[in-house]
Each structure stands twice: as C-alpha cells, then as structure tokens.
Amino acid sequence: MSVSPAHPRRRAFLLVTAAAAAGALTLTSCSSGGTSGGSGDTKFVTGTGGIATVAKGDRHNAPDLSGETVDGKKIDVADLKGKVVVLNVWGSWCAPCRAEAPYLAKVAKDTRAKGVEFVGINTRDTDKGPAVAFEQQFGVDYPSLYDPIGKLILRFPKGSLNPQAIPSTIVLDRNGKIAARALLALDDTKLHQMIDPLIAEK
C-alpha cells in the first residue's frame, strides 16, 4: 500500500499553523486567560490603545469576587459598590505585569480621594511568597485576591468585557458593572483614559 506524499506535508502545515496561532496569543501578554470573548451580541467598542468600553445602559454586572487576599485578609468587591473599582489580573512571574505595576500603584494613590479603589487578582502563583514580594517591590498598597488556579477569572460572564490575558485590567462603574477593559500592560495615561470618564459619570 502506498502513502500519498501530500499527507505528511499536510500534517506539517497543520502543525505550523497551530504553533503560529498559539504564539499569537502570547505576543502582547504573559498568557491567555482561557475565557470567552463573548458572543455576536456584545456591545463593547475597542478604542485607541486597546481599551474597550461599554455604554452605560449595556453593561453587565460584575461576578462575585470575594475571598482571601495575598496577605491573608478577606475582601469582597461587592462591598466597594458606590466607588469606581479597578481590577488588575497579574502574576509575579509576568514581565508585563512588572512593567505596569509602578503605574498601577501610583494611579491607585492619586485617585483614591476621587472615590476609586484598586483590587488585584493574583493568579498562577503557586504560593503567596512571590506575590507578597512583588507587592513590596513595587509599592502596591491595595489588596489582591489570591486566585492561583483562575477560578475568580472564570466567573466573568460571557459577552462581557472579561479578562482574557495576564495582565488584564477591568474597571467597574459605581454600580458594580463592567465598564472598561484592557488586555495589555498599562501606563498612567492609559489608566486615566479608563478611569476618568467613570469618575465623571453621574
């Protein structure tokens, strides 16, 4: 029985294509979060700089985000309703997370008096030690939920602006609804682009 010479070539092509697709997921972030990008009825708009936003009337409620923090305390994001909440998904092992950490720490301090609270979601750190060291190194003084296997991340509803990469930053409006998202490392300018319109909302 003869084997068609096209068969091994086709298999090699498929392997190369799959490798290229996998590589594309990690070009601008540490890793894909494995969550859905939503369905065809999504109503968010991605603007300049990769920041996606949702009109006030089309926003989804944030999921339950509660549990133990990196430093062993308890926090429930629902208790922050009435404030603009910035959620940042990060890992101590993630180079883009390290690049954006000083900006997050600075903007968190600068906007606190304006009714903004930052909460981290630390993921894929198998123990808390490296995460605690990360926070100390970069002067991160806001709490971070400890989510080593990504259970909290998977709670975000499909069709919403959900975290799909590490790092991801999601901003909730004062009603606890998902209003903006970025799937890349941010500087202070981009953070203000996400936060300031929500501070101004009535």
Side-chain angles (χ1 to χ4, degrees):
M1 185 176 79
S2 63
V3 177
S4 168
H7 180 72
R9 283 202 301 271
R10 185 169 66 247
R11 185 171 59 187
F13 172 77
L14 291 172
L15 288 171
V16 169
T17 303
L25 287 173
T26 58
L27 286 177
T28 58
S29 61
C30 288
S31 69
S32 167
T35 56
S36 168
S39 60
D41 63 352
T42 55
K43 296 179 180 175
F44 54 84
V45 176
T46 302
T48 57
I51 295 169
T53 57
V54 186
K56 193 171 184 179
D58 296 324
R59 295 171 186 166
H60 291 74
N61 288 318
D64 170 34
L65 297 170
S66 61
E68 187 172 299
T69 63
V70 165
D71 59 0
K73 298 175 182 175
K74 298 287 186 183
I75 188 173
D76 187 342
V77 170
D79 293 339
L80 300 175
K81 201 168 182 180
K83 296 181 180 290
V84 174
V85 179
V86 180
L87 302 168
N88 177 253
V89 180
W90 64 279
S92 67
W93 43 269
C94 164
C97 301
R98 301 176 78 82
E100 72 174 359
Y103 298 109
L104 289 159
K106 179 182 185 301
V107 176
K109 290 182 177 75
D110 292 347
T111 58
R112 194 165 287 147
K114 298 178 181 179
V116 180
E117 293 290 339
F118 279 58
V119 177
I121 302 176
N122 171 257
T123 193
R124 300 191 189 177
D125 275 312
T126 54
D127 66 70
K128 294 179 178 178
V132 170
F134 178 102
E135 291 184 333
Q136 292 172 347
Q137 179 180 353
F138 295 107
V140 175
D141 66 355
Y142 53 83
S144 283
L145 287 158
Y146 183 56
D147 188 29
I149 60 173
K151 289 185 355 184
L152 294 177
I153 295 169
L154 292 174
R155 291 180 183 174
F156 282 82
K158 292 181 180 180
S160 73
L161 292 175
N162 47 39
Q164 297 178 22
I166 305 166
S168 291
T169 299
I170 291 175
V171 186
L172 310 182
D173 65 19
R174 289 189 178 91
N175 296 312
K177 293 180 180 290
I178 302 165
R181 178 190 67 186
L183 301 177
L184 70 169
L186 299 172
D187 59 17
D188 51 350
T189 299
K190 287 184 178 178
L191 280 163
H192 278 290
Q193 286 175 10
M194 298 177 75
I195 297 167
D196 291 353
L198 296 171
I199 293 173
E201 274 188 358
K202 302 300 181 188

